[in-house]
Amino acid sequence: MAETAMQRFVLRGPQEAIEPRLFDRTESFRFLDKAGCLDIASLRLPDSPLGLARVRSTGHEILLEEPDRISVILPWSGTVTSEVDGDVFRTGAHGVLVFDPNRRRTTVQRASPAAPYIADLLTFPKADLQETCRRNDLPLMLNHHLLVPNLPAVGHLRRLISATLTQFEHDPEQHAAVRTLSHVTASLADALTEIAAALAPPTDSSASAGQRRVRLALEVMEALHPEPVSISDICSRLDCSARSLQLAFLEYGLPSPHDVLTHIRLDRARSYLLEGTMNVTQAATEAGFVHMSRFSGLYMRAFGEYPIRTLGSRRSEH
């Protein structure tokens, strides 16, 4: 059980140095204010090179080097800005940053004085992604670093990681840990394959048309998710039938349009709760949910805890 237990690391400011906890080498570290706090909960999966972690911070700057692993950063609250070879990449809640092995300076900032920066992190050897692409006859799209578009596969990865880390934070010594993590490892591998496939360029004009339809549908969902929009409404905006949209999603191995819209709303609700500016009803309503009991059940299945517990644990940090 020792190899699967979650490890917790807490650092309080002022602090000018930090030993490696998530990356190969940390060259420098500083909090953005003297009363800073960094909390890292990390989880190593058995018989797997994948690493999972949840980072909470009042704000810090770190200069690090990661020579052989890809890093996927999934913020829930606050913003993260990274500079790599003179290029600057920035994202906030709901965004995704993916980095090739590199040397980078990263600054994270909390959403507000009362809401820390919170992000989940996945790391894995680049060689594993290369092998995944080779087995599935896919081009390796990641050359340096990128902001990943809002793909359903990314959302699936975000919720899977969040639910796993939440589960072990609540019960780090659970009896079924090894079996649970084995399932998670397999699911993460599938999710990485989905992302690689979704980022691959289309091979013909029909695929290109279907890909454009999926992309436009996702843009509409992102823009209208707080409203009582239906899939029929989205199809009307795209001038296509519900059947053709569903087939386009199916063609790219995605969940149904309805499920994707629900997942977008769930992700938004979780970010609102973690920011701590809304109660459960307000967060659900702002994200586009109407029926509170259904929202609570969907949230539990997606993130491994009920929304009231997310809100309570976030507030207990202060």
Side-chain angles (χ1 to χ4, degrees):
M1 186 61 209
E3 68 177 62
T4 61
M6 175 169 279
Q7 303 296 313
R8 203 69 178 259
F9 170 73
V10 179
L11 181 70
R12 299 189 184 277
Q15 183 79 20
E16 298 297 334
I18 180 174
E19 62 182 286
R21 289 285 169 169
L22 299 176
F23 306 101
D24 184 78
R25 185 198 310 172
T26 300
E27 297 186 22
S28 67
F29 175 90
R30 71 176 182 90
F31 284 114
L32 300 186
D33 58 67
K34 293 182 178 180
C37 181
L38 173 66
D39 184 330
I40 301 173
S42 61
L43 191 64
R44 283 289 174 179
L45 302 174
D47 303 317
S48 170
L50 300 172
L52 299 181
R54 175 163 292 160
V55 178
R56 297 178 175 89
S57 176
T58 56
H60 66 262
E61 180 186 89
I62 184 171
L63 178 62
L64 61 93
E65 183 175 4
E66 181 51 77
D68 60 9
R69 295 176 73 85
I70 288 176
S71 305
V72 182
I73 304 172
L74 304 157
W76 287 105
S77 174
T79 60
V80 53
T81 305
S82 290
E83 181 180 351
V84 185
D85 297 330
D87 295 325
V88 177
F89 302 86
R90 182 178 187 273
T91 193
H94 327 309
V96 184
L97 277 177
V98 180
F99 289 106
D100 237 15
N102 63 22
R103 181 177 183 269
R104 62 184 181 269
R105 183 180 302 276
T106 294
T107 303
V108 306
Q109 296 177 298
R110 51 188 171 185
S112 72
Y117 168 82
I118 302 175
D120 292 338
L121 177 71
L122 168 68
T123 68
F124 54 91
K126 183 172 182 178
D128 283 34
L129 181 61
Q130 291 172 322
E131 177 60 19
T132 295
C133 291
R134 187 195 65 77
R135 287 198 311 267
N136 292 276
D137 195 26
L138 295 169
L140 181 61
M141 298 300 295
L142 184 61
N143 295 318
H144 296 292
H145 31 264
L146 65 132
L147 290 160
V148 176
N150 179 29
L151 301 170
V154 174
H156 174 216
L157 185 70
R158 178 189 294 274
R159 287 181 291 277
L160 175 63
I161 293 173
S162 179
T164 302
L165 290 169
T166 297
Q167 183 177 3
F168 277 82
E169 278 193 314
H170 292 334
D171 185 7
E173 302 297 333
Q174 57 185 293
H175 298 297
V178 174
R179 182 178 179 184
T180 298
L181 288 177
S182 295
H183 284 295
V184 169
T185 301
S187 297
L188 284 171
D190 289 342
L192 292 174
T193 302
E194 291 174 18
I195 292 173
L199 290 174
T203 56
D204 54 50
S205 59
S206 63
S208 179
Q211 192 175 63
R212 282 198 302 273
R213 181 166 290 173
V214 170
R215 177 178 57 79
L216 291 172
L218 291 175
E219 290 176 359
V220 173
M221 290 177 183
E222 286 286 343
L224 300 182
H225 72 270
E227 303 176 17
V229 63
S230 67
I231 299 303
S232 296
D233 295 331
I234 293 172
C235 291
S236 295
R237 288 172 176 264
L238 300 181
D239 193 24
C240 70
S241 69
R243 178 61 176 163
S244 64
L245 184 63
Q246 185 159 2
L247 288 174
F249 274 61
L250 182 63
E251 180 182 357
Y252 287 94
L254 306 178
S256 70
H258 179 270
D259 286 345
V260 171
L261 179 57
T262 298
H263 292 153
I264 289 174
R265 287 169 167 161
L266 286 168
D267 288 351
R268 296 306 181 271
R270 183 168 180 80
S271 287
Y272 295 145
L273 292 173
L274 288 171
E275 289 171 358
T277 57
M278 302 181 187
N279 62 33
V280 172
T281 300
Q282 290 169 332
T285 302
E286 186 67 22
F289 289 98
V290 177
H291 304 291
M292 291 301 106
S293 60
R294 181 170 181 271
F295 163 69
S296 185
L298 289 170
Y299 190 98
M300 173 63 183
R301 286 195 289 275
F303 302 115
E305 65 182 357
Y306 287 107
I308 189 64
R309 184 157 191 178
T310 300
L311 184 64
S313 62
R314 220 289 310 165
R315 287 177 172 170
S316 67
E317 296 169 3
H318 303 282

